[in-house]
Amino acid sequence: MANRLLRIAALVELASLVLLLTNLATVHWAPVASLLGPVHGCAYLFVIGATIQVTGDLRTRLLAAVPGIGGLLVIRRLRHGPAPAAGVEMYR
């Protein structure tokens, strides 16, 4: 359930950021910015909170703090698993 909510929040965060930047680059309507700004902020905070709930991995949690694409990076990392640390060889 948390993974599904994380996916939804990540997509809302990215879409709202794209719409905010598009609005800023074109007509810059204040009502659009005043509506989408809080939506983006809430989605951003929700992504961070959901990531903290889903995983204890520090690097994954730090990825969630990247504005706009952090949620998508977290989902990708959770799907593929964290990479081994640099300089550490994997033995079978």
Side-chain angles (χ1 to χ4, degrees):
M1 181 70 166
N3 284 340
R4 181 174 183 227
L5 293 176
L6 178 61
R7 265 182 280 165
I8 292 169
L11 292 175
V12 168
E13 179 191 8
L14 180 62
S16 63
L17 180 63
V18 168
L19 291 172
L20 277 168
L21 293 175
T22 302
N23 180 48
L24 183 64
T26 58
V27 292
H28 194 58
W29 286 339
V32 172
S34 66
L35 173 71
L36 290 176
V39 169
H40 174 70
C42 288
Y44 176 68
L45 293 175
F46 192 88
V47 164
I48 293 172
T51 302
I52 289 171
Q53 186 177 19
V54 168
T55 183
D57 182 42
L58 179 62
R59 290 182 183 192
T60 305
R61 288 180 171 185
L62 290 175
L63 278 178
V66 177
I69 62 167
L72 297 176
L73 293 173
V74 167
I75 292 168
R76 180 174 180 240
R77 186 169 172 96
L78 290 175
R79 187 178 303 142
H80 298 297
V88 176
E89 295 182 26
M90 299 293 290
Y91 294 104
R92 291 185 178 196

